[in-house]
Amino acid sequence: MESDRSTTRILEEFLLMDDGVSGMCLCPDLRDPENENKDLTSLYKIWATIPEQTHSCNVAMTDGFCWHFKDTDALITFERDVPIGVKTADCVPILAYAPDKHGIAAIHAGWKGTLGGIVDNVMDAFVENGVDPAQLKVAFGPSISKDVYEVSQELADSFMEAGFGAYVSYPDGQMEKPHIDLQGINMERLLRRGVKPENIKLHVGCSYSSKLNDGSPMYASHRRSGGAPARMLTCIMMLSC
């Protein structure tokens, strides 16, 4: 793993910059095909506290002294200089900043977390700590887009039954597989909880299909790579100065 740390080039993309808060996405440079097969978890853990993600809807609070969070897919902290993050490769990474209470969150929302409402669980925790949803600022990281995210009809039905039919589409016709807009559903959940639309920044890229200028993949994608271990780290921190 030491060789991976020293030789793997990491590309940075800033997602949220506001009043001493920095949120970004870090991705291995996939212009080198070998980086698709590198698990950089140990490297990412140097940069941020990352939970042991299991596609749950579980949320944990950290003060920076606890580094191990099992069966957890979102972290919240109200402490400065405590970086938190999540790993993704098609699932939706979401960063949130509560300026009124100086709190931040990093959320991993795959289809299970999106359907189950992990965003709502984070909002519950924020509100319990006095956060005003109207002041919350949210940035989405790169995830698989609705244009290419095909799912089974059974899964699409589950989203429609949950009240998110507007985010299910059939771009190839009603007889073909449905597509799901995971970013859109999580945005809708935030809006329903009182987050202002102007305070939500969606991501225009697609983890599956976005490319660099030379045609190489821009982001890690589990579906595109056939399950390769490459992941992105989407992380956020409040600075003390």
Side-chain angles (χ1 to χ4, degrees), residues 212-240:
L212 297 169
N213 291 336
D214 68 349
S216 300
M218 183 176 293
Y219 304 114
S221 170
H222 183 271
R223 181 170 288 202
R224 184 198 63 240
S225 68
R231 296 290 184 272
M232 298 173 282
L233 171 66
T234 302
C235 53
I236 186 170
M237 180 173 68
M238 291 184 295
L239 306 175
S240 58

Side-chain angles (χ1 to χ4, degrees), residues 23-225:
M24 65 173 60
C25 174
L26 306 173
C27 183
D29 187 348
L30 299 177
R31 287 174 291 192
D32 181 350
E34 292 185 4
N35 290 340
E36 195 85 78
N37 296 310
K38 291 180 180 178
D39 182 349
L40 300 180
T41 299
S42 63
L43 174 60
Y44 290 159
K45 285 184 176 180
I46 294 174
W47 292 336
T49 298
I50 307 168
E52 294 183 18
Q53 299 165 203
T54 57
H55 295 277
S56 71
C57 289
N58 298 330
V59 180
M61 203 87 65
T62 178
D63 58 8
F65 294 99
C66 179
W67 295 85
H68 302 289
F69 296 93
K70 294 183 178 181
D71 190 25
T72 301
D73 284 81
L75 290 178
I76 295 173
T77 187
F78 291 89
E79 302 293 332
R80 296 185 183 275
D81 298 323
V82 176
I84 55 176
V86 291
K87 298 186 300 175
T88 61
D90 285 335
C91 296
V92 183
I94 307 169
L95 302 177
Y97 168 49
D100 55 335
K101 294 297 180 180
H102 301 291
I104 53 175
I107 307 165
H108 162 246
W111 73 258
K112 291 182 180 179
T114 299
L115 182 60
I118 190 170
V119 162
D120 287 285
N121 292 347
V122 170
M123 291 301 300
D124 288 342
F126 267 150
V127 171
E128 287 172 5
N129 283 273
V131 170
D132 178 5
Q135 296 190 45
L136 199 68
K137 300 182 180 181
V138 180
F140 284 68
S143 62
I144 193 165
S145 69
K146 62 181 179 181
D147 295 333
V148 294
Y149 188 42
E150 293 182 347
V151 301
S152 68
Q153 185 59 56
E154 181 181 10
L155 182 56
D157 289 342
S158 295
F159 277 100
M160 289 188 282
E161 291 167 3
F164 299 104
Y167 299 94
V168 178
S169 61
Y170 295 82
D172 301 316
Q174 288 289 333
M175 300 302 294
E176 301 299 326
K177 285 188 175 181
H179 289 217
I180 300 291
D181 181 1
L182 291 180
Q183 277 202 65
I185 294 168
N186 285 289
M187 177 190 68
E188 180 67 26
R189 286 190 179 277
L190 290 165
L191 293 172
R192 292 178 183 180
R193 296 299 298 265
V195 181
K196 293 182 177 180
E198 60 267 29
N199 288 345
I200 301 174
K201 182 181 178 183
L202 296 177
H203 198 279
V204 298
C206 173
S207 56
Y208 182 96
S209 60
S210 292
K211 297 183 182 301
L212 297 169
N213 291 336
D214 68 349
S216 300
M218 183 176 293
Y219 304 114
S221 170
H222 183 271
R223 181 170 288 202
R224 184 198 63 240
S225 68

